[in-house]
């Protein structure tokens, strides 16, 4: 009798559960789906890829001497780097951007949306390229396996460059497919914005971005013996097929933070307050001020005041050397500790650039110069200067502190182009001229560190660099001058905790005696 009652109960229970499941299905919240579609996943992949590079930019501008610490404490501008300096660069790729991008890839392939597949592959390539350029060897072939492998091996950077190129080529091929081949459009505006928050469904711009990234990666190979004969022609061709103007720039606009979101404003702005305390406050380096202000002591071009000076920096900024107490404070009434917050680049609601038209113009100029085409180098060099001036010289204001940025007129551009700060003929164009203008236009961008490494921090090319006072002695005591500068970020803290054997193998492979020594070792493309 008990067996029959149990069986009846199971039957009734099964029916009840079925009815309950159906009832719950009817009441699923469409705004909180259990399985997200590609259009809701792609924005996270894109925004976190930008966040990865923004957080890297809290470290690299000290190495490249765009900014320095106001107090002379042992810090990043004196090359005291820890595993924490590499943590965000590493983790934002694997756990955020690539995590979302791989889900986009899977969902888009299943539903048949090749444009989403293309975007996912390009975003993956962009993040992986940044990661390996900052850190060298990193996991890829054994990564993304979850519980199947918590300790992936580190792949050599040369192989990673092939992976990046393949991802970009495959992304281009997917983006070239017709819109009719897609299950869903790449950019959706109703009932809410989703999908392509970078280019709003413009596949031509995605293709240009992929080619821009390919050009940049190949241009890193200037130390390789085949660069001039084989690589440079590819770079020049890719540049011509990539961004056509600043309208193509890969950048994302910051937004007012709306709860529960808190990290939607500029990483360099006053709201996120990275430089708000006495111990963390930053100011402009003497390096950048000497390029911009022809009236500053030791100015690179005496008497030539760059019209970008009051936009990039504060007009009264004097700058300081790394490891030296100094800099120009702004009014205490603003509540800020540093003049840096008066910069156009420190606007709370500005934007962060990954790769731009003006960067590509300077890549073109250098590649053309190295292949002997001085006419093309001269033209691209001046186009790069003009593009950057026009981009940041549009006026506008900043609320805290209250700043109104000047407009750069065409007359000012023409006057600067005719000044001693700019080469006037193709024969006057050389590496120093190209690199110093690229340095100015790439303010705060981590990619500048790649340029400095490619050229071994050469004081003949970067004339305003100042070796830090009281620099980390592990670097300062290196026999070779170029190895006294950081050449890569340290391994991520999380990797030293959870993947220590492979971290140890990477250090051993380059002959590093600890983390401080490891950062002096050039990455693959930085070696001849």
């Amino acid at each position: 009798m008990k067996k029959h009652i149990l069986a009846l109960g199971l039957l009734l229970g099964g029916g009840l559960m079925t009815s309950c499941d159906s009832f719950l299905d009817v009441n699923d919240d469409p705004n909180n789906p259990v399985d997200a579609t590609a259009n809701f996943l792609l924005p996270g992949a894109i925004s976190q890829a930008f966040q990865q590079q923004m957080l890297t930019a809290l470290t690299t501008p000290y190495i490249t001497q765009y900014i320095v610490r106001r107090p002379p404490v042992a810090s990043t501008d004196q090359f005291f780097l820890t595993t924490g300096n590499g943590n965000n660069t590493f983790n934002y790729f694997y756990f955020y951007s690539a995590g979302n991008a791989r889900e986009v890839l899977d969902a888009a392939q299943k539903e048949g949306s090749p444009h989403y597949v293309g975007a996912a592959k390009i975003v993956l390539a962009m993040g992986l390229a940044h990661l390996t350029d900052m850190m060298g060897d990193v996991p890829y072939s054994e990564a993304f396996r979850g519980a199947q492998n918590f300790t992936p091996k580190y792949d050599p950077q040369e192989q990673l460059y092939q992976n990046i190129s393949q991802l970009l080529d495959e992304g281009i091929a997917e983006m070239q497919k017709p819109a009719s081949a897609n299950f869903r459009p790449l950019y959706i505006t109703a009932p809410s914005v989703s999908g392509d928050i970078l280019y709003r469904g413009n596949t031509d711009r995605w293709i240009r971005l992929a080619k821009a990234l390919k050009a940049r990666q190949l241009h890193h190979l200037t130390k390789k013996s085949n660069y001039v004969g084989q690589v440079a022609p590819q770079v020049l061709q890719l540049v011509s097929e990539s961004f056509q103007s600043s309208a193509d720039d890969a950048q994302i606009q910051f937004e007012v933070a709306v709860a529960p979101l808190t990290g939607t404003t500029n990483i360099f702005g006053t709201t996120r307050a990275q430089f708000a305390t006495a111990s963390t406050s930053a100011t402009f380096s003497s390096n950048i001020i000497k390029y911009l202000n022809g009236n500053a002591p030791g100015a690179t071009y005496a008497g030539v005041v760059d019209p970008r000076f009051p936009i990039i920096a504060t007009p009264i900024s004097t700058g300081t050397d790394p490891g030296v107490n100094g800099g120009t404070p702004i009014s205490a009434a603003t509540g800020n500790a540093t003049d840096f917050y008066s910069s156009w680049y420190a606007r709370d609601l500005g934007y962060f650039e990954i790769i731009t038209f003006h960067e590509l113009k300077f890549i073109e100029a250098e590649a053309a110069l190295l292949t002997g085409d001085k006419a093309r180098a001269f033209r691209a060099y001046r186009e790069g200067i003009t593009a950057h001036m026009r981009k940041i010289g549009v006026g506008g204001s900043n609320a805290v502190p209250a700043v109104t940025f000047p407009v750069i007129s065409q007359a000012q551009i023409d006057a600067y182009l005719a000044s001693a700060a700019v080469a006037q003929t193709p024969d006057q164009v050389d590496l120093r001229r190209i690199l110093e203008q690229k340095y100015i236009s790439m303010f705060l961008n981590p990619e500048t560190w790649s340029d400095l490494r490619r050229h071994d921090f050469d004081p003949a090319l970067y004339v305003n660099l100042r070796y830090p006072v009281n620099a980390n002695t592990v670097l300062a005591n290196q026999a070779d001058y170029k190895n006294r500068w950081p050449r890569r970020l340290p391994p991520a803290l999380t990797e030293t905790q959870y993947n220590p054997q492979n971290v140890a193998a990477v250090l051993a492979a380059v002959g590093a005696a600890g983390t401080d020594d490891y950062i002096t070792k050039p990455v693959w493309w930085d070696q001849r």
Side-chain angles (χ1 to χ4, degrees):
M1 183 67 181
K2 289 180 181 178
K3 290 180 181 178
H4 290 301
I5 293 173
L6 177 60
L8 180 61
L10 289 172
L11 287 171
L12 291 173
L16 179 62
M17 289 300 293
T18 302
S19 300
C20 188
D21 285 344
S22 299
F23 178 77
L24 291 173
D25 286 345
V26 171
N27 288 276
D28 280 348
D29 183 354
N31 293 317
N32 292 284
V34 176
D35 295 316
T37 51
N39 58 303
F40 289 113
L41 291 164
L42 183 58
I46 295 170
S47 62
Q48 297 298 348
F50 275 76
Q51 186 85 332
Q52 176 199 17
Q53 300 202 27
M54 279 189 280
L55 291 168
T56 300
L58 290 177
T59 295
T60 54
Y62 292 105
I63 299 172
T64 56
Q65 294 187 3
Y66 283 127
I67 55 177
V68 296
R69 297 287 184 194
R70 284 176 52 79
V73 295
S75 192
T76 41
D77 60 347
Q78 294 163 292
F79 309 152
F80 290 93
L81 304 181
T82 70
T83 52
N85 289 107
N87 225 31
N88 284 323
T89 305
F90 188 92
N91 290 342
Y92 267 79
F93 174 70
Y94 292 104
F95 303 129
Y96 299 108
S97 179
N100 275 311
R102 287 172 59 80
E103 290 297 317
V104 173
L105 193 61
D106 183 59
Q109 286 173 333
K110 287 178 179 177
E111 73 177 20
S113 293
H115 288 173
Y116 280 93
V117 173
K121 291 193 172 188
I122 294 169
V123 169
L124 271 171
M126 182 171 71
L128 180 60
H130 177 71
L131 177 65
T132 185
D133 288 337
M134 298 298 108
M135 305 190 82
D137 298 354
V138 293
Y140 185 70
S141 62
E142 292 185 0
F144 310 113
R145 296 185 183 180
Q148 295 178 17
N149 187 0
F150 286 134
T151 57
K153 72 176 183 180
Y154 281 54
D155 295 324
Q157 188 178 61
E158 185 174 5
Q159 176 59 51
L160 294 170
Y161 261 52
Q162 295 176 32
N163 297 135
I164 292 162
S165 181
Q166 181 178 347
L167 283 169
L168 291 170
D169 286 340
E170 291 173 353
I172 290 169
E174 297 293 336
M175 284 295 183
Q176 288 173 334
K177 294 178 180 179
S180 59
N182 289 269
F183 176 77
R184 73 180 71 245
L186 183 57
Y187 182 61
I188 299 170
T189 57
S192 61
V193 170
S194 64
D196 176 16
I197 61 170
L198 180 58
Y199 289 127
R200 299 185 179 183
N202 189 321
T203 54
D204 288 340
R205 286 184 170 171
W206 276 99
I207 292 170
R208 291 174 201 155
L209 170 60
K211 292 186 176 184
L213 292 168
K214 284 176 67 71
R216 176 197 270 177
Q217 297 308 109
L218 286 173
H219 190 57
H220 286 165
L221 308 183
T222 50
K223 285 185 175 179
K224 303 304 181 183
S225 60
N226 66 340
Y227 179 82
V228 172
Q230 298 178 26
V231 179
Q234 297 177 58
V235 171
L236 292 169
Q237 182 62 35
L238 285 164
V239 167
S240 68
E241 295 173 358
S242 62
F243 295 170
Q244 302 302 300
S245 72
S246 297
D248 292 330
D249 290 355
Q251 61 190 30
I252 281 189
Q253 180 81 43
F254 295 108
E255 296 181 354
V256 174
V258 177
L261 300 178
T262 58
T264 60
T265 55
N266 190 350
I267 196 78
F268 291 113
T270 53
T271 295
R272 293 175 79 167
Q274 295 291 332
F275 310 128
T277 66
S279 61
T280 62
S281 66
T283 187
F284 301 97
S285 74
S286 59
N287 188 347
I288 189 68
I289 296 299
K290 288 175 182 177
Y291 282 126
L292 297 171
N293 185 6
N295 296 326
T300 319
Y301 297 100
V304 180
V305 178
D306 193 316
R308 293 170 288 188
F309 175 43
I311 301 172
I312 293 176
T314 307
I316 59 171
S317 297
T318 57
T320 193
D321 291 337
V324 177
N325 190 18
T328 309
I330 57 177
S331 171
T334 66
N336 298 312
T338 173
D339 55 340
F340 176 77
Y341 284 141
S342 295
S343 172
W344 186 83
Y345 288 90
R347 295 167 299 150
D348 261 344
L349 303 182
Y351 45 76
F352 186 83
E353 304 166 334
I354 295 286
I355 186 167
T356 60
F357 175 69
H358 53 262
E359 178 188 342
L360 289 164
K361 287 284 109 179
F362 291 117
I363 289 174
E364 178 184 3
E366 184 178 355
L369 180 70
L370 294 175
T371 57
D373 190 345
K374 286 196 170 185
R376 182 171 181 177
F378 178 69
R379 182 171 62 252
Y381 157 77
R382 292 171 71 90
E383 287 173 347
I385 298 169
T386 301
H388 183 244
M389 285 190 166
R390 285 178 177 163
K391 182 170 186 178
I392 72 170
V394 294
S397 61
N398 195 15
V400 180
V403 179
T404 299
F405 300 106
V407 173
I408 299 178
S409 68
Q410 186 60 49
Q412 287 176 296
I413 295 174
D414 293 341
Y416 184 76
L417 290 174
S419 74
V422 179
Q424 298 302 306
T425 67
D427 286 338
Q428 289 181 359
V429 175
D430 57 18
L431 274 178
R432 174 185 159 176
R433 294 280 195 172
I434 293 169
L435 292 172
E436 65 190 13
Q437 287 296 334
K438 187 180 183 185
Y439 179 87
I440 294 168
S441 75
M442 298 278 287
F443 187 64
L444 302 179
N445 194 306
E447 180 61 16
T448 295
W449 189 26
S450 299
D451 288 336
L452 284 161
R453 288 178 287 169
R454 285 192 303 111
H455 294 288
D456 294 327
F457 299 84
D458 188 345
L461 300 176
Y462 295 96
V463 298
N464 296 334
L465 284 177
R466 293 293 177 268
Y467 200 78
V469 175
N470 297 322
N472 185 336
T473 55
V474 175
L475 286 83
N477 292 339
Q478 293 283 330
D480 192 332
Y481 170 80
K482 70 177 184 294
N483 293 334
R484 296 173 193 166
W485 301 80
R487 313 299 291 228
R488 64 173 86 199
L489 291 179
L493 173 62
T494 48
E495 283 292 277
T496 63
Q497 294 171 327
Y498 302 113
N499 197 8
Q501 290 183 329
N502 283 311
V503 169
V506 168
L507 266 66
V510 297
T515 299
D516 282 344
D517 188 38
Y518 180 69
I519 67 175
T520 71
K521 308 299 183 183
V523 298
W524 164 73
W525 54 255
D526 193 20
Q527 304 172 44
R528 297 188 186 280

